[in-house]
């Protein structure tokens, strides 16, 4: 059991009890912890209804708590009205057994900055009403829940998100959500497997220069990726695999650390690869496309490459000597192409 003794430490502000094997829930005595700002019980074997846990924090603690981390426990039940916690900034409940409909009252948490509800069994439709007063929201994670996000096409959010995780929520109409295109500070975006069926030219690539992660895979996105210079400085992870993208691969996409463009319909030669010198590119998967032509002889520009997958394309000609300069390479897959000649000694 979590000992009641913690509640006797009247000045206690931040309590972390992660990675434990407690029995039961949070003691009722915790409601008297008037200075408690952070309560973190991640992987703590908490059990019981979420409403009961909240009930044991509804004394003077409800006015002080700002950060509530209850991830990866065995908490069950529905999400109650949390507006009784006016100072709440972080609500993190992922990987529990919560279910039911998310109450609209969640949209009243005007101080909320981080909302993580992933890996639960919430259901129903989420509208813009749920976010009407969340002006400070920066991190949103609803991934791996069967939720449907259905926002008015002209809705402009009151917040600027930095991290967005919505895999595999259904994002309403199949077009790229317009509200997402208003988020200019976003550096982490995962909307993979979200039912998007649209031309990529309709999506404004207004990403933050601090882009770290972009996953649009497993949708029905079509068209040619626009050619422009994407100003990025962090060598991000980009996954556009399993879509219907076609044409040429723009050179700016090779300015990353991880690039997966497999299972598309790209068809042009990849000579644009030679325009980039990137020793931080570790993973490159262009397999299962319609790429053609001879491989460029500039692989020394990608000195850090470990995984290279070019299988199931229409490449032909000799394997370039510079491929032997990939000294850190662990996997090269060139099968089901039309290469000829000898494997270079390099």
């Amino acid at each position: 059991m979590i000992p009641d003794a913690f509640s006797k430490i009247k000045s206690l502000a931040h309590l972390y009890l992660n990675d434990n094997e407690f029995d039961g829930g949070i003691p009722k005595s915790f409601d008297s912890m008037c200075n408690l700002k952070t309560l973190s019980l991640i992987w703590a074997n908490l059990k019981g209804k979420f409403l009961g846990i909240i009930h044991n924090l509804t004394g003077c603690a409800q006015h002080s708590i700002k950060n509530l981390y209850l991830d990866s426990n065995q908490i069950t039940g529905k999400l109650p009205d949390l507006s009784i916690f006016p100072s709440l900034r972080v609500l993190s409940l992922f990987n529990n057994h919560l279910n039911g409909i998310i109450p609209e009252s969640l949209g009243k948490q005007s101080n909320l900055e981080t909302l993580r509800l992933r890996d639960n069994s919430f259901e129903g439709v989420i509208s813009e009403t749920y976010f009407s007063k969340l002006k400070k929201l920066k991190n949103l994670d609803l991934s791996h829940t069967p939720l449907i996000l259905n926002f008015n096409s002209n809705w402009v959010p009151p917040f600027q998100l930095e991290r967005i995780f919505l895999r595999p929520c259904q994002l309403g109409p199949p077009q790229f959500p317009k509200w997402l295109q208003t988020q200019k500070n976003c550096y982490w975006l995962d909307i993979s497997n979200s039912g998007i069926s649209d031309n990529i030219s309709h999506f404004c690539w207004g990403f933050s220069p601090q882009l770290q992660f972009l996953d649009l895979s497993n949708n029905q996105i079509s068209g040619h990726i626009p050619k422009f210079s994407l100003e990025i400085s962090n060598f991000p992870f980009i996954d556009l695999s399993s879509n219907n993208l076609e044409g040429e691969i723009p050179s700016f996409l090779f300015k990353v650390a991880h690039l997966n463009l497999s299972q598309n319909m790209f068809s042009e030669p990849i000579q644009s690869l030679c325009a980039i010198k990137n020793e931080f590119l570790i993973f490159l998967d262009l397999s299962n496309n319609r790429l053609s032509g001879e491989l460029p002889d500039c692989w020394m520009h990608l000195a850090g490459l470990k995984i290279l997958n070019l299988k199931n394309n229409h490449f032909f000609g000799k394997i370039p000597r510079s491929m032997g300069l990939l000294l850190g390479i662990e996997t090269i897959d060139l099968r089901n192409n039309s290469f000829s000649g000898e494997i270079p000694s390099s």
Side-chain angles (χ1 to χ4, degrees), residues 8-269:
K8 298 178 181 179
I9 310 175
K10 299 303 180 182
S11 60
L12 188 62
H14 305 284
L15 179 59
Y16 297 87
L17 298 172
N18 305 330
D19 297 297
N20 280 290
E21 292 290 334
F22 294 118
D23 293 323
I26 295 173
K28 182 68 174 73
S29 58
F30 273 36
D31 65 0
S32 64
M33 300 177 71
C34 301
N35 288 309
L36 188 63
K37 293 180 174 61
T38 300
L39 178 59
S40 185
L41 286 156
I42 301 171
W43 286 105
N45 199 38
L46 286 184
K47 300 176 181 177
K49 298 285 187 180
F50 188 48
L51 184 60
I53 292 174
I54 293 302
H55 179 71
N56 290 348
L57 294 173
T58 52
C60 64
Q62 74 187 64
H63 301 288
S64 63
I65 286 182
K66 294 182 177 181
N67 309 305
L68 186 60
Y69 300 93
L70 301 177
D71 313 316
S72 299
N73 286 290
Q74 301 177 51
I75 303 171
T76 61
K78 294 178 170 56
L79 199 65
D81 184 352
L82 296 174
S83 58
I84 58 173
F85 297 94
S87 301
L88 199 62
R89 294 190 307 192
V90 175
L91 177 63
S92 194
L93 302 171
F94 74 76
N95 194 23
N96 278 287
H97 304 292
L98 298 166
N99 57 28
I101 296 173
I102 297 175
E104 287 190 17
S105 59
L106 192 63
K108 299 177 182 178
Q109 304 291 138
S110 58
N111 288 308
L112 199 64
E113 297 177 7
T114 295
L115 177 63
R116 285 195 288 259
L117 302 179
R118 66 179 294 163
D119 291 294
N120 282 286
S121 298
F122 295 116
E123 58 187 2
V125 178
I126 300 291
S127 69
E128 61 268 22
T129 306
Y130 288 75
F131 300 95
S132 59
K133 295 184 179 179
L134 305 187
K135 297 180 179 180
K136 298 181 180 180
L137 193 65
K138 294 180 180 179
N139 303 294
L140 175 64
D141 190 348
L142 303 177
S143 53
H144 301 288
T145 64
L147 291 168
I148 299 173
L149 277 64
N150 191 6
F151 300 147
N152 187 293
S153 60
N154 296 319
W155 179 59
V156 177
F159 47 71
Q160 281 291 319
L161 296 176
E162 296 176 355
R163 294 162 63 93
I164 306 172
F165 302 84
L166 297 176
R167 169 197 181 105
C169 299
Q170 296 304 297
L171 303 184
Q175 292 78 24
F176 279 109
K178 290 186 178 180
W179 73 269
L180 275 177
Q181 301 183 46
T182 68
Q183 304 303 294
K184 303 303 182 183
N185 296 333
C186 181
Y187 62 84
W188 199 292
L189 175 63
D190 185 350
I191 52 173
S192 56
N193 197 23
S194 296
I196 297 174
S197 179
D198 200 358
N199 192 293
I200 198 164
S201 63
H202 298 160
F203 186 66
C204 177
W205 289 65
F207 298 111
S208 164
Q210 306 305 314
L211 181 68
Q212 295 180 8
F213 186 98
L214 174 65
D215 192 345
L216 307 181
S217 65
N218 291 286
N219 284 290
Q220 295 294 319
I221 303 170
S222 60
H224 295 245
I225 297 177
K227 294 181 181 179
F228 62 91
S229 178
L230 181 61
E231 295 299 327
I232 50 179
S233 56
N234 289 323
F235 300 98
F237 174 113
I238 292 182
D239 190 342
L240 305 179
S241 63
S242 299
N243 281 289
N244 298 315
L245 297 167
E246 57 186 318
E248 184 180 355
I249 300 172
S251 60
F252 76 85
L253 280 179
F254 295 113
K255 298 179 181 179
V256 299
H258 179 115
L259 180 61
N260 190 348
L261 300 179
S262 63
Q263 299 284 349
N264 277 285
M265 297 188 295
F266 293 108
S267 58
E268 302 293 327

